[in-house]
């Protein structure tokens, strides 16, 4: 492994020159004003776009100038310590123990300073002015005495005011004040009717609205001059170089701090490290420039200064990363740190986000493919859009007259963790909680670890994609049953309080987006009748579909890949239905699904060999409305999850609670079915058990009275009741039961726990004194099918495994799926809010994977170049391969590609962390014939080298560079034997040392799998023998893999361990590997059908080569990675 200073950073391209032309055009027409000047010796440039009410150019320009000048004057009079009569100067001249009552603006800035000083553990400190003045005047001598009081702890901010413990303590608030002023200018300009503005004061910027070109505003970050140029005049505008162009959404700000702007002395930055009590020394390692993006320019300025004071770019990153979360109401949205050595450039990146340049390069390796998407719900449209963006020609086939499906009926919302909406609302959530909640809900079924991790890791990206690319305003949050955090995103209600249906709104935007892509052709009222399958090289693959149009005409449509997104089978209860086959007990149970939910896509997949999982796992939603006018209707209105999420409670026919209303859907449904009475008609007809859903005034307000009015007045599903008496009369029970129930519930709300049901979240306080109730009849009904086509975490449809040493699923070539037609994600019970998320995440993954099917090369890693790959999933393998191990699975560029590497060859991985380039070397454990993926096995502790820090920072979707290297190059023959350099090999010896065992795992797996799969009888003179030497037992890695193989194939494998420092009770080799050890435990004597491969540190291999020569092994009968000049070329 290696670590090289500096990364692959290159200077960015600037915004389009056409944008500048547009600005000039608007300026000439008076539609835009550019105000320039100097405040406090710092230049400013403010661009404003008035709205229609300020159309008269001259007055609106004067108004804007007056606003910004007024704010600048305020900032100067309050915060400038260069002004002797300013408020901060009065504070700095204050005697010890005297109290100053700060102005409102001063208190706001001081409160921010106090918070950041605490959160950065003193790295940010606004009270370092005495130190700065001392260094300028006296240099570094006597600093310790001044440092003792030159810190924020010398001040005390209370409700009464500000006081200081030392008369010499002083504040420098200029940076904060500039940020405060920029925030105020932007706010006041917006309040005054300027729809867009771009306030730039000395490189600190805040943007409101959008650029006149319709895009977001961008801010250019200046490249710092070389250290020997600090103090000289900066280049003119035409000669300036930039390190980034940062995009600013509406309301975002960026502040930059640089060591070149001013210095305290030669080689000393103006930034002071408060922890050391001295200025930062300007070196190649120190941060030369720090830029931070968030909504508050004041906060951005403070954090940029703190990052510079933290030390190097790695330390700056570690200081800023905690501010990305929900700890602040205004979390950091981006940052950029730059140091001259390298240079090192560190930019905020999401661990699950592919490097943009990697994506661009990766998409240059495939040709245009034709992709068919079957099904026009959210999964289908997501797949179509992503496939089109990846250069595919897309045909989207929908059997209904319009796109939408069950997605358009979804009301609960869409889950995600770590979104900017959550952060802005102070919700602390991440994948640990989300994945745990999903797995808890999934108990009793198959919930694939890779799929659930992908769902979680790609969830925030899914929300931001819907918001930023499709324009869906998912800014409202709620907490559904089964969730530990508030993570269900919805569309906020209209101004009159009317709720906006989230699924319908998403599909409106999705339909519009799909129609905007020229590469997407939509065929509605067309029903696919089967998948077309062909056989190539003895392997079957899907090559298109047969479908019937609205007139009944049958068509054949061929394609390079097919994505199935046809939904579940919740509606169809016919004799040939999947429900009849897998859950006959649910035949006749009502459903919330449309008639299109007939499981057609699942049947298509099954017909071509797809594996089906969890087909008996059908989710009952606990709150489907019973219409008193038609209680036996097969399709029912769904009572949204928000009924219970807003505080609605469930009562039985006796007026008593019986369940935690916010428990999992499966739990609530079962409680209703087990506890409540059947719905009985006057003629004696009995339907399924049901309960009452009761909302008081508070719950009605939270749910939304306009939406309740729809259910109550237009559809007739709710009835009103006045007080407990009216409620008892409607329910038909004793009023005392109602009173007792509501008293108990109110007490539980006050105690924050219900001892009867275990409920701990209480959205509303329902009590016996409430006067206004609305009541609906609800019953569990079929809502969602967890089972379906088994898929990988990349959306590939899987088929039953073939036999082998390490058995696993294989994929059906060219067939992908997403959404409710798939299984293996939700297990026994889907977590509320995960269905729309699944559609977006796996729809996009499947669409992109299908679109890249037509690669220009059949292999990925054998061309000698670094190529970008994305991480698919990570599997911890402590039990399988040993402590601190994991398998990293990367996607090759195309689902049908292979690596092109023979067994025994290794790969190099390269990535960037903290501005440095890290490289590591690994042997794949996937087979050469495996399509679409490469698996590497690695240690995840410090013994794995620096590259481990990069790998552990990646999440599925993140990217790296990979390159095929040299190695032993063992080639499997058609009869399942092996060849090395043209000769047959029956006997293999592996001589391993240190942590270099991964090549041995790859070779052992491949060799045993091949020999075990062969049809020729195995002789006693074939097999694999291993000697593995390490310093101590804790250094042994991957031995568990050999244990598993030996248990299954005892006649093919043996191994012997040698430790230099063995533990007590050790029964194998001690010391070092000598010639006797090799004779006794490896194949000996040497023979033409024998090969010995060494895996270990170079010094180990060198010593072993010497031993082999003494034992009479000819050089062509053994291989050493260290001795192979081509291995690392």
């Amino acid at each position: 492994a290696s670590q090289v200073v500096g990364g692959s950073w290159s200077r960015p391209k600037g915004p389009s020159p056409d944008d500048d032309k547009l600005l000039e055009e608007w300026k000439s027409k008076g539609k835009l004003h550019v105000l320039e000047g100097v405040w406090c010796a710092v230049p400013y440039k403010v661009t404003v776009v008035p709205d229609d009410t300020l159309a008269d150019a001259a007055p609106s320009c004067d108004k804007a100038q007056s606003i910004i000048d007024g704010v600048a004057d305020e900032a100067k009079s309050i915060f400038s310590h260069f002004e002797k009569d300013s408020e901060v100067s009065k504070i700095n001249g204050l005697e010890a123990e005297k109290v100053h009552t700060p102005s409102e603006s001063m208190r706001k800035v001081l409160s921010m300073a106090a918070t950041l000083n605490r959160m950065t553990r003193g790295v940010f400190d606004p009270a370092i002015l005495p130190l700065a003045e001392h260094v300028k005047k006296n240099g570094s001598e006597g600093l310790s005495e001044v440092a003792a009081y030159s810190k924020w702890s010398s001040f005390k901010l209370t409700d009464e005011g500000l006081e200081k413990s030392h008369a010499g303590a002083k504040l420098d608030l200029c940076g904060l004040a500039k940020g405060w002023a920029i925030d105020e200018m932007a706010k006041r300009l917006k309040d005054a009717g300027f729809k867009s503005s771009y306030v730039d004061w000395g490189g600190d910027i805040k943007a409101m609205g959008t650029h006149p070109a319709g895009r977001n505003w961008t801010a250019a970050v200046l490249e710092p001059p070389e250290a020997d140029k600090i103090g000289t005049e900066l280049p003119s505008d035409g000669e300036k170089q930039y390190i980034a162009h940062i995009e600013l959404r509406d309301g975002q700000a960026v502040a930059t701090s640089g060591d070149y702007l001013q210095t305290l002395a030669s080689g000393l930055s103006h930034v002071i490290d408060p922890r050391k009590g001295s200025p930062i020394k300007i070196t190649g390692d120190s941060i030369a420039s720090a830029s931070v993006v968030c909504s508050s320019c004041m906060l951005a300025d403070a954090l940029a200064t703190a990052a510079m004071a933290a030390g190097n770019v790695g330390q700056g990153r570690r200081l800023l990363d905690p501010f990305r979360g929900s700890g602040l109401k205004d979390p950091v949205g981006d940052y950029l740190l730059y140091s001259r050595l390298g240079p090192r450039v560190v930019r905020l990146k999401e661990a699950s986000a592919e490097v943009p340049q990697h994506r661009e390069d990766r998409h240059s390796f495939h040709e245009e493919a034709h992709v068919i998407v079957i099904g026009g719900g959210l999964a289908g449209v997501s797949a179509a859009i992503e496939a089109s963006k990846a250069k595919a020609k897309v045909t989207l086939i929908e059997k209904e007259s319009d796109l939408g499906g069950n997605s358009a009926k979804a009301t609960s919302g869409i889950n995600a963790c770590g979104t900017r909406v959550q952060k802005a609302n102070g919700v602390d959530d991440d994948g640990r909680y989300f994945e745990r909640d999903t797995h808890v809900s999934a108990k009793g079924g198959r919930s694939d670890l890779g799929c659930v991790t992908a769902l979680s890791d790609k969830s925030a990206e899914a929300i931001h994609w819907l918001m930023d690319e499709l324009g869906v305003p998912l800014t409202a949050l709620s907490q559904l049953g089964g969730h530990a955090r508030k993570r269900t995103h919805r569309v906020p209600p209209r101004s009159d309080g009317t709720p906006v249906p989230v699924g319908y709104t998403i599909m409106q935007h999705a339909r519009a987006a799909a129609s905007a892509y020229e590469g997407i052709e939509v065929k509605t009222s067309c029903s696919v009748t089967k998948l077309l399958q062909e056989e190539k090289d003895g392997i079957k693959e899907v090559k298109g579909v047969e479908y019937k149009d609205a007139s009944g005409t049958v068509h054949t449509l061929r394609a390079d890949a097919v994505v199935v997104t046809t939904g579940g089978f919740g509606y169809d209860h016919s004799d040939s239905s999947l429900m009849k086959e897998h859950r006959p007990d649910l035949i006749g149970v009502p459903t919330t699904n449309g008639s299109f939910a007939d499981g057609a896509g699942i049947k298509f997949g099954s017909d071509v060999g797809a594996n089906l999982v969890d087909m008996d796992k059908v989710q009952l939603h606990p709150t489907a409305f019973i219409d008193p006018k038609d209680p036996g209707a097969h399709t029912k209105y769904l009572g949204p999850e928000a009924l219970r999420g807003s505080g609605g409670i469930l009562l039985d026919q006796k007026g008593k609670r019986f369940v935690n209303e916010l428990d999992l859907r499966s739990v609530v449904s079962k409680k209703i079915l087990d506890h409540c009475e059947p719905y009985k008609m006057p003629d004696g007809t009995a339907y399924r058990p049901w309960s009452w859903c009761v909302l008081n005034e508070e719950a009605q307000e939270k749910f939304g009275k306009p939406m309740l009015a729809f259910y109550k007045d237009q559809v007739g599903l709710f009835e009103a009741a006045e007080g407990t008496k009216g409620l008892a009369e409607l329910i038909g029970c004793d009023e005392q039961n109602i009173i007792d129930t509501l008293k108990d519930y109110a007490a539980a709300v006050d105690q924050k726990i219900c001892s009867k049901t275990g409920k701990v979240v209480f959205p509303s306080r329902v009590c016996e004194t409430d006067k206004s109730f609305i009541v609906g009849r609800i019953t569990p009904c079929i809502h969602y099918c967890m089972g379906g086509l088994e898929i990988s975490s990349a959306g590939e449809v899987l088929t039953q495994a073939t036999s082998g040493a390490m058995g696993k699923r294989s994929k059906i070539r060219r067939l992908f799926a997403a959404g409710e037609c798939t299984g293996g994600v939700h297990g026994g019970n889907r977590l509320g809010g995960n269905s729309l998320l699944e559609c977006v995440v796996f729809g996009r993954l499947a669409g992109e994977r299908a679109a890249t099917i037509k690669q220009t090369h059949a292999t990925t890693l054998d061309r000698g170049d670094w190529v970008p790959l994305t991480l698919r999933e990570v599997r911890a393998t402590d039990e399988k391969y040993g402590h601190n191990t994991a398998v990293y699975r990367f996607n090759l560029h195309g689902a049908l590609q292979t690596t092109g590497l023979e067994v025994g060859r290794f790969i190099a991985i390269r990535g960037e962390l903290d501005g440095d380039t890290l490289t590591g070397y690994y042997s794949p454990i996937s087979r050469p014939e495996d399509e679409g993926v490469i698996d590497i096995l690695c240690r995840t502790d410090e013994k794995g080298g620096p590259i481990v820090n990069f790998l552990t920072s990646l999440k599925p979707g993140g990217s790296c560079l990979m390159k095929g290297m040299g190695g032993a190059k063992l080639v499997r023959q058609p009869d399942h034997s092996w060849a090395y350099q043209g000769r047959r090999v029956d006997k293999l010896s592996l001589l391993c040392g240190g942590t270099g065992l991964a090549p041995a795992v790859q070779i052992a797996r491949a060799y045993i799998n091949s020999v075990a799969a062969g049809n020729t009888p195995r002789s006693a003179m074939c097999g694999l023998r291993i000697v593995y030497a390490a310093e101590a037992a804790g250094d042994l890695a991957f031995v568990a893999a050999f244990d598993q193989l030996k248990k299954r194939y005892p006649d093919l494998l043996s191994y012997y361990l040698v430790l230099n420092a063995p533990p007590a009770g050790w029964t194998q080799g001690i010391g070092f590997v000598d010639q006797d050890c090799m004779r006794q435990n490896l194949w000996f004597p040497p023979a033409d059908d024998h090969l010995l491969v060494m895996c270990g540190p170079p010094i180990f291999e060198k010593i072993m080569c010497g031993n082999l020569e003494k034992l009479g092994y000819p050089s062509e009968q053994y291989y050493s990675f260290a001795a192979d000049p081509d291995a690392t070329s």
Side-chain angles (χ1 to χ4, degrees):
S2 65
Q3 180 170 350
V4 178
V5 173
S8 60
W9 169 80
S10 59
R11 291 186 179 87
K13 298 175 184 177
S16 169
D18 292 339
D19 287 359
D20 292 334
K21 293 178 182 177
L22 181 63
L23 287 178
E24 290 301 319
E25 179 184 337
W26 278 40
K27 184 179 177 181
S28 65
K29 293 180 179 179
K31 296 165 64 177
L32 172 150
H33 311 306
V34 178
L35 314 173
E36 298 183 78
V38 176
W39 292 314
C40 300
V42 178
Y44 69 85
K45 183 176 182 179
V46 178
T47 303
V48 292
V49 180
D51 64 16
D52 295 338
T53 63
L54 298 172
D56 199 347
S60 65
C61 182
D62 292 342
K63 185 173 185 178
Q65 186 71 58
S66 175
I67 289 171
I68 62 177
D69 282 343
V71 175
D73 289 340
E74 281 183 53
K76 185 176 179 181
S77 66
I78 299 171
F79 303 110
S80 175
H81 61 265
F82 298 106
E83 297 290 319
K84 65 177 182 178
D85 294 326
S86 68
E87 184 175 356
V88 74
S89 292
K90 293 176 181 177
I91 293 171
N92 289 344
L94 203 66
E95 295 180 9
E97 313 301 333
K98 297 290 185 181
V99 177
H100 171 78
T101 302
S103 63
E104 182 180 347
S105 298
M106 177 62 79
R107 181 173 284 279
K108 179 179 179 180
V109 171
L110 292 177
S111 296
M112 168 76 76
T115 299
L116 286 181
N117 179 263
R118 174 178 52 82
M119 294 185 70
T120 61
R121 298 185 178 183
V123 179
F124 173 77
D125 198 314
I128 44 75
L129 182 57
L131 272 174
E133 292 176 337
H134 181 89
V135 172
K136 276 188 174 182
K137 185 177 180 180
N138 305 308
S140 300
E141 291 188 12
L143 272 180
S144 58
E145 182 181 337
V146 180
Y149 59 84
S150 190
K151 51 191 176 183
W152 177 248
S153 58
S154 296
F155 290 85
K156 182 179 180 182
L157 182 63
T158 64
D159 292 341
E160 287 72 35
L162 181 73
E163 61 179 285
K164 53 186 183 179
S165 58
H166 191 287
K170 295 180 181 180
L171 296 172
D172 181 354
L173 302 177
C174 287
L176 287 173
K178 187 168 66 166
W180 171 88
I182 292 169
D183 289 336
E184 281 295 311
M185 291 175 191
K187 177 181 179 298
R188 295 183 193 182
L189 286 168
K190 182 178 181 179
D191 292 345
F194 293 90
K195 61 183 180 182
S196 294
S197 64
Y198 184 85
V199 181
D200 179 350
W201 186 9
D204 290 354
I205 298 162
K206 182 153 187 174
M208 302 295 281
T210 58
H211 187 278
R215 60 167 175 80
N216 289 329
W217 295 97
T218 56
V221 180
L222 186 68
E223 181 178 346
E226 292 299 322
D228 59 358
K229 300 283 182 63
I230 293 176
T232 62
E233 189 173 340
L234 292 175
S236 60
D237 286 346
E239 297 176 347
K240 288 178 179 176
Q241 298 283 354
Y242 298 95
I243 54 177
H245 292 281
I246 295 177
E247 188 174 286
L248 299 177
R249 297 191 304 274
D250 180 19
Q252 281 193 318
V254 59
T256 299
S257 184
D259 63 8
Y260 55 92
L261 299 173
Q262 52 180 307
T263 58
L264 296 179
S266 178
L268 295 180
S269 168
H270 72 288
V271 176
I272 289 177
D273 183 349
R275 300 162 300 176
K276 297 179 180 177
S278 60
I280 298 291
K281 291 183 179 180
I282 298 174
T283 67
D285 266 334
S286 64
I287 298 176
S289 173
S291 300
V292 175
V293 176
C294 51
S295 296
S296 164
C297 195
M298 177 170 63
L299 174 61
D301 184 278
L303 288 175
T305 301
M308 291 195 65
N312 58 36
V313 291
Q315 292 164 325
R317 174 184 63 80
R318 287 188 285 276
L319 180 138
L320 291 173
D321 275 344
F323 291 91
R324 297 167 57 183
S326 58
L328 288 177
K329 189 175 181 180
D330 179 16
V332 169
D334 197 1
Y335 58 71
L336 178 71
L337 307 175
Y338 176 97
S339 67
R340 295 181 178 87
L341 184 61
R344 289 187 174 107
V345 180
V346 176
R347 185 84 180 261
L348 183 150
K349 69 172 185 176
E350 298 298 335
S352 60
E354 184 176 8
V355 175
Q357 186 61 51
H358 289 177
R359 181 180 175 86
E360 183 178 329
D361 292 345
R362 187 169 56 81
H363 281 185
S364 69
F365 296 124
H366 67 268
E367 301 172 353
E368 179 185 271
H370 180 203
V371 175
I372 295 174
V373 179
I374 312 173
L378 182 56
V381 176
S382 298
I385 291 173
E386 207 63 24
S388 181
K389 288 167 60 179
K391 303 192 303 189
K393 172 190 172 185
V394 181
T395 303
L396 176 58
I397 302 177
E398 167 56 46
K399 65 185 174 185
E400 298 296 304
S401 60
D402 198 2
L403 305 181
N406 276 333
S407 300
K409 301 173 71 175
T411 57
S412 294
I414 176 169
N415 296 332
C417 63
T419 68
R420 60 176 182 257
V421 178
Q422 284 181 303
K423 292 173 181 177
N425 284 274
V427 178
D428 182 17
D429 191 19
D430 60 45
R432 297 172 302 164
Y433 304 106
F434 189 15
E435 290 170 36
R436 186 273 313 276
D437 292 348
T438 299
H439 285 301
V440 168
S441 181
K443 285 181 180 178
R446 177 170 169 75
S447 182
D448 179 74
L449 285 172
C451 288
V452 172
T453 301
L455 187 76
S456 169
D457 285 342
K458 306 297 286 184
S459 64
E461 181 184 318
I463 293 293
H464 299 154
W465 180 75
L466 289 169
M467 294 176 70
D468 299 339
E469 293 197 31
L470 269 62
V472 186
L474 296 168
T475 54
L477 286 174
S478 64
Q479 184 171 345
L480 303 185
H483 291 265
R485 297 290 190 274
K486 203 172 186 179
R487 65 169 70 98
T488 306
H489 295 66
R490 294 179 177 148
V491 180
R494 297 187 179 94
S495 57
D496 64 355
T498 305
V500 179
V502 62
Y504 181 79
T505 304
I506 288 176
M507 284 312 304
Q508 275 187 314
H509 288 256
R511 280 192 290 265
S515 65
Y517 281 87
E518 293 183 1
I520 300 176
E521 178 188 10
V522 179
K523 293 179 180 290
T524 55
S525 301
C526 294
S527 299
V528 172
T529 54
K530 69 177 181 179
L531 299 175
L532 303 178
Q533 199 172 27
E534 295 179 357
E535 189 168 313
K536 182 178 181 182
D537 300 328
I539 302 173
K540 291 182 178 180
E541 57 184 19
V542 173
K543 291 292 288 184
V545 303
E546 180 183 278
Y547 73 93
K548 189 182 296 184
D549 65 20
S551 68
T553 305
V554 176
H555 303 266
T556 295
L557 185 62
R558 310 192 76 77
D560 297 296
V562 175
V563 184
V564 180
T565 59
T566 51
F569 54 94
Y571 183 89
D572 187 8
H573 289 193
S574 65
D575 287 342
S576 62
S577 69
L578 292 169
M579 190 68 71
K580 177 87 172 186
E581 179 181 354
H582 297 282
R583 286 298 301 270
D585 59 304
L586 294 180
I587 294 297
V589 175
T591 180
T592 61
N593 289 189
S595 59
F596 41 77
D598 58 6
I602 300 174
K603 294 177 182 178
F604 301 151
S606 180
D607 289 344
V608 298
N611 200 48
L612 304 185
V613 294
D614 287 341
M615 291 298 290
D616 61 331
K617 305 300 186 293
V618 177
Q619 183 179 72
L620 300 181
H621 196 292
T623 56
F625 286 117
I626 296 174
D627 185 349
K629 301 183 294 296
D630 187 12
H634 182 58
T635 299
K636 297 190 181 300
Y637 275 98
L638 175 66
E641 201 86 20
L643 287 172
R644 292 172 289 131
S646 300
I649 62 172
L650 302 185
L651 303 181
D652 63 15
Q653 286 71 27
K654 296 178 182 178
K656 296 181 179 181
R657 283 183 68 245
F658 56 92
V659 68
N660 170 8
E661 291 84 358
L662 295 183
D663 212 326
L664 296 171
R665 290 174 175 177
S666 56
V667 175
V668 179
S669 295
K670 189 174 188 305
K671 287 284 188 180
I672 294 173
L673 296 175
D674 291 347
H675 180 85
C676 297
E677 299 176 5
Y679 192 95
K680 297 176 182 177
M681 300 293 290
D683 63 0
T685 303
Y687 297 108
R688 291 173 64 80
W690 63 288
S691 75
W692 296 96
C693 180
V694 179
L695 285 78
N696 69 348
E697 183 73 21
E698 182 184 356
Q700 293 173 47
E701 290 288 349
K702 288 182 177 178
F703 181 83
K705 286 194 172 183
M707 192 64 184
L708 286 173
F710 166 79
Y711 286 120
K712 177 178 175 290
D713 301 330
Q714 295 187 40
V715 192
L717 300 176
F718 274 112
E719 297 178 51
E722 288 297 319
T724 55
K725 181 179 180 181
L727 186 55
E729 290 174 354
L730 180 59
I731 290 177
C733 68
D734 187 348
E735 182 184 2
Q736 191 58 46
N737 286 357
I738 297 290
I739 293 172
D740 293 343
T741 294
L742 299 189
K743 272 187 177 180
D744 290 346
Y745 189 75
V749 174
D750 296 338
Q751 295 165 6
K752 298 183 179 179
I753 187 169
C754 174
S755 58
K756 179 179 178 181
T757 65
K759 188 172 185 177
V760 293
V761 176
F762 301 92
S764 298
R765 189 178 190 275
V766 187
C767 64
E768 75 282 3
T769 59
D770 286 327
K771 298 301 182 186
S772 173
F773 298 99
I774 63 164
V775 186
R777 301 162 180 84
I778 57 98
T779 186
C781 70
I782 294 170
H783 181 56
Y784 191 89
C785 301
M786 276 73 70
L789 305 170
E790 185 177 10
I791 59 170
S792 71
S793 55
E796 300 155 332
V797 176
L798 303 179
T799 187
Q800 192 60 42
T802 55
S803 60
M806 309 296 284
K808 58 181 180 179
R809 296 276 189 264
S810 59
K811 62 173 177 278
I812 298 177
R813 301 177 106 224
R814 303 181 183 274
L815 183 61
F816 305 84
E820 194 178 349
C821 67
T822 67
V825 179
H826 306 296
N829 179 59
R830 177 178 62 80
L831 190 64
N834 270 0
S835 60
L836 291 178
L837 176 64
E838 174 193 30
C839 289
V840 177
V841 169
F842 288 102
R844 296 182 70 206
L845 287 171
E848 204 254 10
R849 201 71 177 141
T852 56
I853 199 85
K854 202 172 179 180
Q855 293 290 320
T856 55
H857 295 87
T859 57
T860 309
L861 295 172
D862 59 343
R863 301 194 294 275
D865 299 322
W866 289 102
V867 294
L869 298 185
T870 57
L871 179 66
R872 178 186 291 194
E873 61 183 88
V874 182
R875 298 278 178 136
T877 55
D878 287 20
E879 294 183 6
K880 188 173 184 179
Y881 294 130
H883 191 52
N884 291 326
T885 65
V887 170
Y888 283 73
R889 170 165 288 185
F890 291 88
N891 283 325
L892 301 180
H893 294 159
L896 303 184
Q897 279 187 317
T898 60
T899 62
L901 305 179
E902 302 91 339
V903 170
R905 287 183 66 180
F906 63 99
I907 55 95
I909 289 180
R910 178 169 290 175
E912 294 181 22
L913 187 66
D914 290 338
D916 287 345
T917 300
L918 306 176
T919 305
Y921 301 94
Y922 296 94
S923 290
I925 61 168
S926 48
R927 304 170 190 162
E929 65 269 23
D930 286 344
E931 292 182 336
V933 296
I934 180 171
D935 294 344
I936 64 165
L937 174 64
C938 66
R939 296 189 68 139
T940 55
D941 56 11
E942 70 281 355
K943 292 178 182 177
I947 189 66
V948 167
N949 296 325
F950 168 73
L951 287 174
T952 53
S953 74
L954 280 182
K955 288 187 177 181
S959 60
C960 68
L961 295 175
M962 195 177 289
K963 178 181 178 182
M965 307 296 286
K969 299 182 182 179
L970 287 161
V971 181
R972 190 170 80 163
Q973 303 302 299
D975 64 352
H976 297 280
S977 64
W978 288 88
Y980 173 69
Q981 294 183 350
R983 64 183 177 87
R984 181 184 174 109
V985 173
D986 291 319
K987 301 189 288 288
L988 263 177
S989 295
L990 299 177
L991 185 51
C992 313
T995 59
L997 195 65
V1001 175
Q1002 180 207 25
I1003 293 170
R1005 282 166 51 106
Y1007 174 82
I1008 289 179
N1009 178 74
S1010 182
V1011 173
N1015 296 320
T1016 56
R1018 298 198 293 267
S1019 70
M1021 296 302 289
C1022 78
L1024 180 65
R1025 297 183 179 180
I1026 304 169
V1027 169
Y1028 178 21
E1031 177 63 23
D1035 297 319
L1036 293 172
F1038 314 143
V1039 173
F1042 295 138
D1043 286 334
Q1044 293 177 21
L1045 290 173
K1046 185 175 181 180
K1047 185 176 181 180
R1048 296 180 65 185
Y1049 303 97
D1051 58 330
L1052 285 178
L1053 182 143
S1054 67
Y1055 69 83
Y1056 186 72
L1057 305 178
V1058 180
L1059 295 180
N1060 189 41
W1066 183 251
T1067 60
Q1068 298 194 53
I1070 297 174
F1072 303 96
V1073 177
D1074 55 23
Q1075 295 175 36
D1076 287 339
C1077 178
M1078 296 164 74
R1079 282 193 196 94
Q1080 296 165 15
N1081 299 290
L1082 299 175
W1083 286 105
F1084 187 84
D1088 288 341
D1089 65 345
H1090 172 242
L1091 175 66
L1092 185 149
V1093 178
M1094 280 174 276
C1095 321
I1099 185 63
F1100 171 82
E1101 292 191 13
K1102 183 177 181 181
I1103 294 171
M1104 293 304 106
C1105 285
N1107 283 336
L1108 290 172
E1109 290 178 12
K1110 293 174 183 177
L1111 288 171
Y1113 278 84
S1115 60
E1116 64 270 15
Q1117 290 188 13
Y1118 64 86
Y1119 175 84
S1120 166
F1121 285 91
D1124 182 358
D1126 296 326
T1128 56
S1129 61

